[in-house]
Amino acid sequence: MCSILTAPSLLSLTWFPVNERNTATGCASIAVYVGVGLGFIAGPNIVGTVVTVHDLDNATITHSEDYLADIRNGVRNTMYCDCALAVLSCLLVFIHFPNKPPLPPTQSQAAPRVNYWDGVKHVLKSKQFYILNMAFNICVGIFNSWLPLASIILRPLGIDQKLAGWIGFSTTPASIFGSILLTRLADKFKRNLRLLAIISTSVGMILVGVLACILQGYILISSPLTMKVVVFILYFGICLCINGSIPLYYEMGCEMAYPAHEAVVGVFLQILQLTVIGIYLLLLLNDSLDTNTEWMTWTLFAGTLVAIVLWFVMNDRYPRLELDSLYT
């Protein structure tokens, strides 16, 4: 999983020139967002059994053998679909997946790198990379735990599982648009990755705060239709700002860790993210936290705030870009 999620930065360095590198990273990251978005729609429809608030309160329904058998069959069908997609992807890689272009697009791509373990040591000694890693994973790690729980988080607002699925699906175009917009700006205004990340995360934090206040009852919306529209807009904006900034983290991490290989950077970023996600999901085993879901959104709000503070104390360094600038 780490190698798949860190591939965009490596692909952009290998195949694209400096003025397209960030945009290429953003475009390559879109595939992940498309898969997540399709999962929101495909999941409930493949499973076939929609769990509503009424069902959860009705033990006769949830404990019946037919009901449980339908869910088991639906989950099994979902796994078959995942397997088919994985096999198809594997076949496409075997059919055509060139290693690199005939000529390197940039000097930093052609420059020799330290070996894997020396790269690991280099990253472990970098204080700035630790700060970036914490900013990325406290914010994005919590976000990636929070987003799939939309049907649970939005249940107090009277939003059922299917509508929550469509709200979750709306995050796909938001992620695509956010990634392309932010990375295109990063290519146009070089050496401003930190500024773009701070602005994007700050807007995301404000939107998360508004959603948390609605869920807590501090902001009241009487019309059910208006409520649904507002939630759609908030989820779209939150995902645009937070998911859209992920390529900026990867590119900044690769700059900080240079001359370590991009794969080393990605592995370190993903290991901590998976740890944060694991801890977050373990909290759901607590009965009180499972029923009182407002804490989930407030946790995301705190995570974005911490990420902004860490971005402010981070140094802006672009050794790869400086090397490429010498030859352009």
Side-chain angles (χ1 to χ4, degrees), residues 110-165:
R113 301 300 179 91
V114 297
N115 65 48
Y116 185 85
W117 291 112
D118 287 341
V120 170
K121 294 176 184 177
H122 177 74
V123 169
L124 290 174
K125 293 178 182 178
S126 174
K127 178 181 176 181
Q128 292 301 313
F129 186 80
Y130 279 113
I131 297 174
L132 175 73
N133 205 352
M134 292 296 293
F136 173 71
N137 287 296
I138 290 175
C139 176
V140 177
I142 294 175
F143 174 78
N144 284 335
S145 305
W146 174 85
L147 183 59
L149 301 174
S151 61
I152 299 174
I153 293 170
L154 300 177
R155 192 181 296 154
L157 301 180
I159 295 176
D160 61 27
Q161 187 177 357
K162 278 204 169 181
L163 180 57

Side-chain angles (χ1 to χ4, degrees), residues 11 52-53 66 86 101 108 132-133 147 186 203 215 226 239 250 260 263 271 318 324:
L11 289 173
T52 65
V53 177
D66 291 340
S108 58
L132 175 73
N133 205 352
L147 183 59
V203 175
L215 291 167
T226 303
C239 199
Y250 281 119
I271 286 175
Y318 302 93
D324 291 326

Side-chain angles (χ1 to χ4, degrees), residues 33 143 170-182 200-201 203-204 207 233-247:
Y33 308 146
F143 174 78
S170 72
T171 62
T172 297
S175 300
I176 293 172
F177 179 72
S179 294
I180 295 176
L181 173 64
L182 291 174
S200 176
T201 309
V203 175
L207 296 176
I233 294 172
L234 288 174
Y235 261 77
F236 188 94
I238 291 167
C239 199
L240 185 151
C241 294
I242 297 179
N243 248 4
S245 67
I246 290 177

